[in-house]
Amino acid sequence: MFDSESESGLQKEESLHNFSSTPTQRGHTTCALGHIIDCTKPDITILCDICQCFLNVSELKTHTTYHNALKLFKFKEVPNKIDIILKRRDLLIQRMQRLKISEESYLKTVKTINDAFQIIKRAIEPYYYGDNSCIYDNREASYLQGISFAPRNRLFLSIGMCTSQNKQYRIDMEDTMRFIDCFGGKEKFAYIGLFDGYNGKAASSLCREHLHEAILMEMSKLINDMNSSEAEQTLINRLYTSMIDPTSDHCHIKNIGDVYRLAYLKMDHLLSRGIHETSSVRWSGTSAFTAVIVANDKIEELLVDLENDNDDEKQDHIVLGHIHVANCGNVEALGIRAGEAFLMSQKHTLINNRERERVLETGIKISNNDLIAGILETTRGLGNHGDKDIKKCVINSPYVWSYEIDPSLECIILATEGLWQVLQYDVVVDIVTQCLPAHHMPAPSRIETALRSVLEKYGNSIHTPYLTNEDNIIVDCINEMVYLIEEENENDTNNLLSTRNRAVQCSEDEIHQEIWNSLSSQYRLRLELAQTIAERLVSAALLAQSKTNISVICLLLPGAAV
């Protein structure tokens, strides 16, 4: 599912930073609409901006539909008589009859009106509908386990990752992800890739394995000291050179946009070979999000200055680094700063009018349920080579942009469509900020569900987000533990786990615990927060009735102030 690695040997270090956390659970409760909820699942509440009440995320879909029904009928609140909504329904249908629209559109709209009528009627006369305890549940939400780690790149406080196959709806896990610290052999560089596959996982798996290599090779042409090893160049040359004309305009690398466009083009050529594909009729495809994060060359000095200087106006003009993003499809990135969100990617679906027009210009039909050729939601992506019609309009050209990372940027949330299809951006921000101690918590219960277990361990004071020499101490400690394991394992390479338990005389859990205990409380808090945020977002998506795989990456940044 996710593949976290470091070119400088931090893959083992990252795994040793993992920790377990059990989602908070509670008993029965009643939601805003009077439903009884059996909450043997994570207690994740969000604030409804319309009625200003707190909702469990499992009732989010029902509650949103309720407000949409009131809006359609132009009611500010539920009327007290059925006759009122009956008259309003008849009026809306009469207006529809006067409009010059197709019969299909008319019937579709009338169905929407009748559905809204039933929702409002149910709110007026709930006793006619029997027991309302059938609120959506997904058992996976109670048993999620993410990971967290702290890279060498000083721009990150920590990184949390969590995924769910969502077995209730999906038989396979088609999402993949990858993190590479010290990208290209440089400590100030890091790479992140997140891929949302469909029609099989071959495309997303190959992108996880090879797209970063294509990006690295092109970046090495732009940045002379980037290390694109001979092995990688040999691999990429073997796969791509015969497919791309080196004299074409595609091969002139002038900026990061050119790097991404050529790398995505090369990756798509690799996918056209059909490696590991199981279907000869409709080959797999994937949405792709990639980012290269670059720390400022003077990052150490800037962090020390920020620690000693509380001038907010001065800090606003400091640039700690940059993040260069590229995406094709519906994997999205959301930046959060001071509780406000901004999109860092572009969603390539038919909701985007430019994308819709571009698809229609190719002559490919769009079905009534807004699917390309009745099959696909996304208008850009990698793969899809088994269907020539789809390949005409689902292009591999990524959206590319660069963003500054300043001291106020709190975190970046990367997620596949499984999250975004059920949670709006403001809801995601609400869930994230519940977990950040710097933000005001509107209700005591929210602190209890999101932070209390963490803050009781480390105290609830707000720490400065900048470390001085602590990173080196932690890395040394971890390296000593890894060295011990490897030294004792030299005589038996065939059975690593049994050798650890026999020669080192302690279990892997005990090794993890010893390393965990050696970390400072501030460092542990950062790791737990990143993982908690990732886990809670995946839980929220499951409980909000997501119908597909869900993968979330939380990049915790200096603005989080922990």
Side-chain angles (χ1 to χ4, degrees), residues 85-331:
I85 58 173
L86 277 170
K87 291 179 181 178
R88 187 65 57 89
R89 182 187 67 172
D90 293 342
L91 180 61
L92 288 172
I93 293 176
Q94 288 172 15
R95 288 178 180 174
M96 289 300 305
Q97 292 171 341
R98 291 195 290 268
L99 296 176
K100 295 180 179 180
I101 58 176
S102 66
E103 182 179 0
E104 183 180 351
S105 297
Y106 170 76
L107 293 175
K108 186 177 180 180
T109 306
V110 169
K111 181 180 184 304
T112 301
I113 293 171
N114 286 331
D115 289 344
F117 169 78
Q118 292 296 330
I119 291 168
I120 300 173
K121 181 181 177 183
R122 184 166 188 157
I124 298 173
E125 299 177 339
Y127 43 85
Y128 283 124
Y129 291 85
D131 185 9
N132 288 339
S133 62
C134 53
I135 294 297
Y136 180 81
D137 190 13
N138 190 319
R139 292 187 178 182
E140 280 189 68
S142 300
Y143 302 102
L144 290 172
Q145 180 62 62
I147 68 167
S148 61
F149 54 91
R152 288 184 183 275
N153 191 306
R154 299 281 286 169
L155 278 175
F156 301 105
L157 300 185
S158 60
I159 295 176
M161 296 179 172
C162 188
T163 68
S164 171
Q165 179 181 324
N166 200 357
K167 295 179 181 178
Q168 201 157 298
Y169 294 98
R170 294 289 176 172
I171 60 174
D172 293 310
M173 182 61 179
E174 297 173 330
D175 291 354
T176 63
M177 60 174 71
R178 188 168 198 135
F179 175 81
I180 302 175
D181 206 2
C182 301
F183 188 51
K186 296 294 179 180
E187 195 167 300
K188 71 175 185 177
F189 286 90
Y191 165 86
I192 295 173
L194 183 56
F195 309 100
D196 189 339
Y198 46 86
N199 297 331
K201 66 180 299 181
S204 62
S205 296
L206 281 171
C207 284
R208 177 191 62 195
E209 295 301 323
H210 297 300
L211 182 51
H212 67 279
E213 294 172 342
I215 292 172
L216 178 58
M217 183 177 178
E218 303 312 324
M219 283 194 71
S220 67
K221 299 174 185 176
L222 188 66
I223 304 171
N224 293 329
D225 61 349
M226 288 287 283
N227 178 23
S228 179
S229 69
E230 292 183 8
E232 288 167 348
Q233 288 196 25
T234 300
L235 170 66
I236 293 174
N237 286 334
R238 184 176 73 248
L239 295 175
Y240 307 131
T241 301
S242 62
M243 304 174 185
I244 304 291
D245 179 3
T247 63
S248 70
D249 293 337
H250 288 300
C251 293
H252 299 312
I253 304 298
K254 299 177 181 178
N255 52 48
I256 192 68
D258 293 336
V259 167
Y260 278 129
R261 279 184 282 273
L262 184 54
Y264 275 57
L265 178 62
K266 288 181 173 182
M267 188 68 234
D268 204 35
H269 276 294
L270 173 59
L271 294 175
S272 70
R273 301 175 66 181
I275 301 173
H276 304 314
E277 289 290 354
T278 57
S279 171
S280 59
V281 178
R282 189 175 299 151
W283 292 2
S284 67
T286 185
S287 293
F289 177 95
T290 55
V292 174
I293 299 92
V294 188
N296 191 310
D297 288 331
K298 299 181 179 179
I299 185 70
E300 298 292 344
E301 298 174 19
L302 292 173
L303 293 179
V304 172
D305 291 343
L306 287 170
E307 186 176 0
N308 299 324
D309 193 344
N310 295 322
D311 188 346
D312 293 336
E313 187 174 341
K314 182 179 178 181
Q315 291 185 11
D316 290 340
H317 301 289
I318 294 176
V319 178
L320 299 176
H322 292 82
I323 178 170
H324 307 289
V325 305
N327 81 289
C328 269
N330 54 18
V331 177

Side-chain angles (χ1 to χ4, degrees), residues 1-3 144 160-166 172-178 193-197 204 289 330-333 413-420 533-535 537-539 541-542 546 548-554:
M1 292 184 290
F2 50 76
D3 180 5
L144 290 172
M161 296 179 172
C162 188
T163 68
S164 171
Q165 179 181 324
N166 200 357
D172 293 310
M173 182 61 179
E174 297 173 330
D175 291 354
T176 63
M177 60 174 71
R178 188 168 198 135
L194 183 56
F195 309 100
D196 189 339
S204 62
F289 177 95
N330 54 18
V331 177
E332 295 187 82
I413 300 299
L414 316 177
T416 54
E417 177 63 6
L419 180 80
W420 307 116
I533 290 171
E535 288 176 346
L537 287 174
V538 175
S539 292
L542 289 170
S546 177
T548 187
N549 305 145
I550 308 160
S551 296
V552 173
I553 303 175
C554 171

Side-chain angles (χ1 to χ4, degrees), residues 339-357:
E340 299 293 330
F342 63 97
L343 272 176
M344 304 178 73
S345 58
Q346 186 176 94
K347 192 168 187 175
H348 298 122
T349 65
L350 294 171
I351 296 175
N352 184 320
N353 289 330
R354 289 184 180 179
E355 290 294 290
R356 178 180 285 270
E357 291 174 6

Side-chain angles (χ1 to χ4, degrees), residues 386-401:
D387 193 314
K388 293 181 180 179
D389 288 337
I390 285 183
K391 197 59 186 173
K392 288 180 183 177
C393 58
V394 180
I395 60 178
N396 57 39
S397 179
Y399 165 86
V400 180
W401 203 257

Side-chain angles (χ1 to χ4, degrees), residues 365-528:
K365 293 182 179 180
I366 297 174
S367 64
N368 294 329
N369 53 349
D370 262 0
L371 296 177
I372 298 171
I375 296 171
L376 195 59
E377 292 182 352
T378 53
T379 59
R380 301 194 188 201
L382 301 176
N384 311 295
H385 292 280
D387 193 314
K388 293 181 180 179
D389 288 337
I390 285 183
K391 197 59 186 173
K392 288 180 183 177
C393 58
V394 180
I395 60 178
N396 57 39
S397 179
Y399 165 86
V400 180
W401 203 257
S402 296
Y403 299 91
E404 292 182 349
I405 298 178
D406 58 45
S408 66
L409 188 58
E410 296 172 283
C411 71
I412 298 173
I413 300 299
L414 316 177
T416 54
E417 177 63 6
L419 180 80
W420 307 116
Q421 73 175 200
V422 291
L423 299 181
Q424 295 181 349
Y425 303 129
D426 59 337
V427 173
V428 171
V429 173
D430 193 6
I431 294 172
V432 170
T433 53
Q434 288 177 38
C435 297
L436 297 177
H439 286 267
H440 170 67
M441 301 296 174
S445 62
R446 311 186 91 195
I447 297 180
E448 194 167 311
T449 60
L451 273 181
R452 185 166 300 239
S453 61
V454 175
L455 294 181
E456 280 179 352
K457 290 189 239 180
Y458 310 120
N460 56 8
S461 59
I462 306 304
H463 299 278
T464 173
Y466 311 112
L467 292 174
T468 52
N469 298 320
E470 189 173 87
D471 280 346
N472 295 330
I473 297 171
I474 293 165
V475 170
D476 289 343
C477 170
I478 291 172
N479 286 340
E480 284 181 15
M481 297 300 296
V482 172
Y483 175 76
L484 175 63
I485 295 170
E486 292 174 344
E487 184 181 55
E488 298 293 342
N489 190 42
E490 285 180 356
N491 297 324
D492 185 2
T493 58
N494 295 324
N495 195 336
L496 175 60
L497 184 58
S498 64
T499 301
R500 285 185 186 182
N501 292 336
R502 183 174 65 252
V504 184
Q505 295 183 344
C506 60
S507 68
E508 189 170 350
D509 288 341
E510 289 171 335
I511 294 171
H512 285 204
Q513 189 62 47
E514 186 170 345
I515 294 172
W516 180 253
N517 293 339
S518 71
L519 304 178
S520 71
S521 60
Q522 182 185 22
Y523 204 91
R524 280 182 276 175
L525 174 59
R526 293 176 178 180
L527 292 174
E528 292 215 23

